[in-house]
């Protein structure tokens, strides 16, 4: 019932947003191809606006906040404006107000503040400033919801699972390499966004791969759950493969599956670069079993699983049902995903295939997580039947919020955290694409703080 209500709310908001665009209310944007340059704005201290504050990432020992600064130009329009980046923080039970944690004097309009050295399971009060102006959340439900960290000014760090950290795996999806216009539902509607000088999927993919090699991310493997290309051409597929191969080795360092955008109308170019259509991709990483599904159809945006693929999966899981197993595929599986995404049940995995997966998972207690993309949002789905499996949808790499999930596996469980890619061009593009779909995209894509940051207890003591 709740998910149906959320879907109805989203559709109603979309309708009101469309109406707002028609009558010229503040939802209306200028031309889809307008380029906003921060260096055209002269910033005055009293005209600076710091908004779009988001507590993006909360781990056991760190937190990441992002926001944007703007100032009005000579015509009175808000434009991105560079300013400094300041964070103040204090334990929530401290008697003193938040004190300065850091200040970065380098001017930027796209602020990314990472706080380190926090205590696990502790609440902290925080404030974010630029140019002396305190950052506030945008007028979106997801960050203005009662109890959200952006509203309360308080976040609580996670309590990590017990035992040593065994492995860190990045979960990513929806690169759409080769896409020229972002934010289209159907051709020409709504008005999409184009990058002014470069290919936005290339910018975002390169930012992802660069981020994952940083020491503070410590990524061991990368999983890309479909829609790696925009139309599955040989050129697009080869370009993505070249970038991934420069990052690591296929089947050892990175793992992929096909999405609906990777299906070509002429032959199978994506398959010639990666692997054939309908194939079940099974890999072993130090005792962890990783299985990639091909959930695509020859036509259409919805998903299915062929009988041979399901039969193969049944055999694989039955061989060692208790072995820790990470599943991934492009299309979301659960009924809750079907009724809560704006495109409806026809956009996700068909109910027959989903029912078979649930049945297989009941007989394979080692399966602990099923990662998907396609909906371009961070969300934890509710299983259709009693299975101890987390069904996790990930936001897109190629647009707001522009990032990936890190799955940190400990001997006593795992921790999931969402990260925005932090390269300046990537943050700039993520900020621009907030206004997609009549400005409603953040409420759809970001997800709650708990959806994108949580820990789960599980026995992984058998992993190496």
């Amino acid at each position: 019932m709740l998910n149906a209500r959320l879907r109805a709310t989203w559709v109603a908001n979309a309708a009101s947003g469309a109406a707002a665009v028609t009558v010229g209310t503040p939802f209306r944007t200028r031309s889809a191809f307008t380029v906003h340059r921060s260096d055209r704005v002269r910033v005055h201290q009293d005209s600076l606006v710091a908004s779009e504050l988001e507590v993006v990432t909360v781990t056991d020992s760190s937190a990441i906040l992002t926001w944007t600064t703007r100032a009005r130009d000579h015509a009175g329009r808000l434009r991105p404006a560079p300013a400094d980046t300041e964070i103040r923080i204090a334990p929530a039970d401290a008697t003193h107000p938040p004190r300065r944690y850091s200040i970065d004097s380098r001017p930027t309009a796209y602020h990314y503040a990472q706080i380190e050295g926090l205590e696990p399971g502790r609440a902290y009060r925080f404030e974010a400033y630029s140019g002396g102006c305190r950052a506030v959340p945008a007028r979106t439900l997801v960050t203005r919801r009662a109890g959200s960290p952006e509203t309360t000014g308080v976040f609580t760090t996670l309590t990590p699972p017990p035992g040593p950290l065994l492995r860190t795996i990045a979960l990513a999806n929806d690169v759409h390499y080769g896409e020229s216009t972002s934010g289209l539902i159907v051709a020409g509607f709504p008005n999409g966004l184009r990058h002014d000088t470069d290919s936005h999927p290339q910018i975002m993919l390169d930012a992802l791969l660069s981020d994952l090699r940083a020491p503070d991310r410590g990524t061991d493997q990368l999983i890309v759950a479909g829609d790696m290309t925009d139309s599955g051409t040989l050129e697009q597929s080869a370009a993505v493969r070249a970038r991934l191969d420069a990052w690591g080795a296929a089947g050892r360092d990175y793992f992929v599956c096909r999405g609906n955008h990777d299906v070509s109308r002429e032959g199978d170019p994506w398959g010639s670069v990666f692997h054939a259509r309908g194939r079940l991709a099974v890999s072993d990483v130090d005792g962890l079993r990783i299985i990639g599904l091909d959930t695509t159809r020859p036509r259409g945006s919805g998903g299915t699983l062929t009988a041979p693929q399901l039969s193969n999966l049944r055999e694989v899981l039955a061989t060692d049902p208790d072995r820790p197993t990470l599943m991934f595929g492009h299309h979301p599986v659960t009924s809750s995903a079907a009724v809560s995404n704006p495109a409806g049940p026809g956009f996700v995995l068909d109910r027959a295939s989903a029912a078979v997966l649930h049945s297989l998972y009941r007989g394979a207690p080692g399966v602990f997580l099923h990662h998907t993309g396609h909906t371009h949002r961070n969300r934890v789905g509710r299983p259709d039947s009693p299975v101890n499996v987390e069904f996790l949808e990930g936001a897109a790499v190629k647009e707001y919020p522009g990032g990936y999930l890190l799955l940190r596996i400990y001997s006593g469980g795992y921790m999931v955290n969402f990260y925005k890619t932090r390269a300046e061009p990537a943050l700039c593009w993520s900020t621009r694409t907030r206004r997609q779909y009549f400005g409603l995209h953040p409420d759809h894509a970001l997800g709650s703080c708990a959806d994108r940051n949580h820990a789960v207890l599980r026995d992984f003591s058998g992993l190496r």
Side-chain angles (χ1 to χ4, degrees), residues 117-147:
L118 305 178
E119 297 180 24
R122 188 167 189 182
Y124 289 88
R125 286 181 286 124
F126 68 91
E127 297 171 358
Y129 292 86
S130 288
C133 179
R134 184 171 178 178
V136 297
R139 296 182 180 276
T140 58
L141 295 177
V142 68
T143 53
R144 294 272 181 148
R145 183 181 295 125

Side-chain angles (χ1 to χ4, degrees), residues 371-384:
H371 166 59
T372 61
H374 196 47
T375 52
H376 296 205
R377 63 180 179 177
N378 291 312
R379 186 176 184 276
V380 177
R382 185 176 63 251
D384 297 348

Side-chain angles (χ1 to χ4, degrees), residues 139 159 207 236 256 386 391 398 401 433:
R139 296 182 180 276
T159 299
Q236 294 170 3
V256 302
F391 292 92
K398 64 104 174 175
T433 51

